[in-house]
Amino acid sequence: MVLDNIKQPVKQAKLSDVILSQLEEMILEGSLKAGQKLPAERELASQFNVSRPSLREAIQKLEAKGLVTRRQGGGTFVSEQILKGFSDPLFELMAQSNESQFDLLEFRHGIEGMSAYYAAMRGTKADFEEIQRKHNAIGEAQLDNDYHQEAEAVFEFYLAICGASHNGIILHLARSMAAIVIDNIEQNLTTLAQRPDVFSKIAEYRTNLMDAIISGQPQKAWGASHRHLAFIEEVLLNLTEEQSRMERSMRRMQK
């Protein structure tokens, strides 16, 4: 007699699928970044403590999903295509629009505020050390008076906060928008240069943000992020109005 309630043996997961899952998790959490070259097959097999055929099969599955690409004689790389969502011509056009620059600043209120909140809640000691390191790098970049280099450093600081949030969607959304956000920051810095007195205030806001995150205060971190961006937005709006008034005055003088 066969008993209906006898449990069937659990089917053991295929080793290559287990490796595949771990590699996918590394891509999702950002341990493996877009464009990054994977370690050599022998090294990876050793790290996972698996046979090379099983590892090879897992990588083939990753390739079939479009998550990695192979280059003849050059190795295997995490696909660049996973971050292409915000690099099409429409977003390039948006990056050149003054109105879109303010739209993007408003968008940053949301994404950076959430990142700061969850980073303060979930961040580890290693995360906080990385945030501190990226914060210090902003000051070093400012020494060269290169706004693009400074914008990249500021973005890396916010990316470290996104990483500390331990939210894969936030992290990858931020990474996918790297070019347009860096451009936004650079344009803001260029405009703010008309008011060099505000840079020390912005640095103070940024330090307050970092301190709130590292001290593990989510609500305070969210507020610090909001105040920082609101200050920048207010100064930019005032400068834009001043520029508009100057242009109108010049036109009247030319008549």
Side-chain angles (χ1 to χ4, degrees):
M1 181 175 66
V2 178
L3 298 178
D4 293 336
N5 62 349
I6 292 180
K7 294 182 179 179
Q8 297 297 315
V10 177
K11 185 177 180 181
Q12 189 172 6
K14 193 173 182 181
L15 183 56
S16 62
D17 289 333
V18 175
I19 302 168
L20 171 67
S21 178
Q22 291 184 29
L23 288 170
E24 287 177 333
E25 183 63 27
M26 291 173 71
I27 292 173
L28 186 62
E29 70 181 14
S31 299
L32 290 173
K33 301 177 177 62
Q36 181 177 340
K37 183 178 180 179
L38 269 62
E41 194 176 275
R42 183 189 302 276
E43 183 180 342
L44 264 182
S46 176
Q47 288 180 13
F48 284 110
N49 194 27
V50 296
S51 66
R52 293 176 69 177
S54 293
L55 175 68
R56 195 174 299 121
E57 184 177 349
I59 291 177
Q60 287 172 348
K61 292 177 180 178
L62 272 183
E63 185 177 20
K65 289 187 173 187
L67 292 171
V68 299
T69 57
R70 299 192 190 196
R71 301 176 189 173
Q72 190 64 35
T76 303
F77 296 79
V78 179
S79 175
E80 296 276 8
Q81 297 300 316
I82 60 177
L83 296 184
K84 292 297 183 183
F86 289 87
S87 60
D88 61 31
L90 174 61
F91 283 93
E92 289 183 18
L93 186 62
M94 289 177 64
Q96 299 169 12
S97 165
N98 288 333
E99 192 62 33
S100 292
Q101 290 300 310
F102 283 102
D103 289 345
L104 184 55
L105 196 56
E106 290 178 359
F107 172 79
R108 288 174 56 196
H109 270 282
I111 194 73
E112 292 177 18
M114 283 191 296
S115 301
Y117 180 90
Y118 288 116
M121 180 185 292
R122 303 169 179 163
T124 65
K125 180 181 178 182
D127 291 328
F128 296 155
E129 289 175 352
E130 179 69 359
I131 291 171
Q132 177 75 67
R133 189 173 70 82
K134 295 297 184 180
H135 179 268
N136 295 342
I138 297 173
E140 295 170 5
Q142 290 171 334
L143 298 176
D144 295 330
N145 293 317
D146 182 331
Y147 289 137
H148 182 73
Q149 183 177 334
E150 183 178 346
E152 289 182 329
V154 171
F155 177 76
E156 287 296 323
F157 169 68
Y158 290 119
L159 199 61
I161 294 174
C162 289
S165 75
H166 293 274
N167 183 305
I169 293 176
I170 289 177
L171 177 60
H172 287 288
L173 177 60
R175 278 193 174 135
S176 71
M177 296 185 70
I180 193 171
V181 173
I182 290 172
D183 182 73
N184 176 251
I185 296 171
E186 182 178 0
Q187 289 194 42
N188 292 344
L189 290 171
T190 303
T191 303
L192 291 169
Q194 300 174 53
R195 288 275 310 278
D197 57 299
V198 305
F199 285 119
S200 60
K201 189 66 177 176
I202 292 172
E204 181 182 338
Y205 276 119
R206 194 182 294 124
T207 300
N208 291 341
L209 168 61
M210 179 187 65
D211 290 343
I213 293 172
I214 291 177
S215 62
Q217 302 180 71
Q219 290 290 352
K220 187 176 180 180
W222 186 300
S225 175
H226 174 75
R227 286 188 292 274
H228 173 222
L229 292 173
F231 174 74
I232 293 174
E233 186 173 16
E234 180 182 0
V235 175
L236 289 173
L237 284 169
N238 289 336
L239 287 172
T240 301
E241 290 174 2
E242 290 174 10
Q243 182 64 30
S244 179
R245 286 196 296 269
M246 289 177 60
E247 290 174 356
R248 288 198 299 270
S249 298
M250 292 296 293
R251 285 196 296 271
R252 286 196 296 270
M253 292 173 63
Q254 292 171 0
K255 290 182 179 180

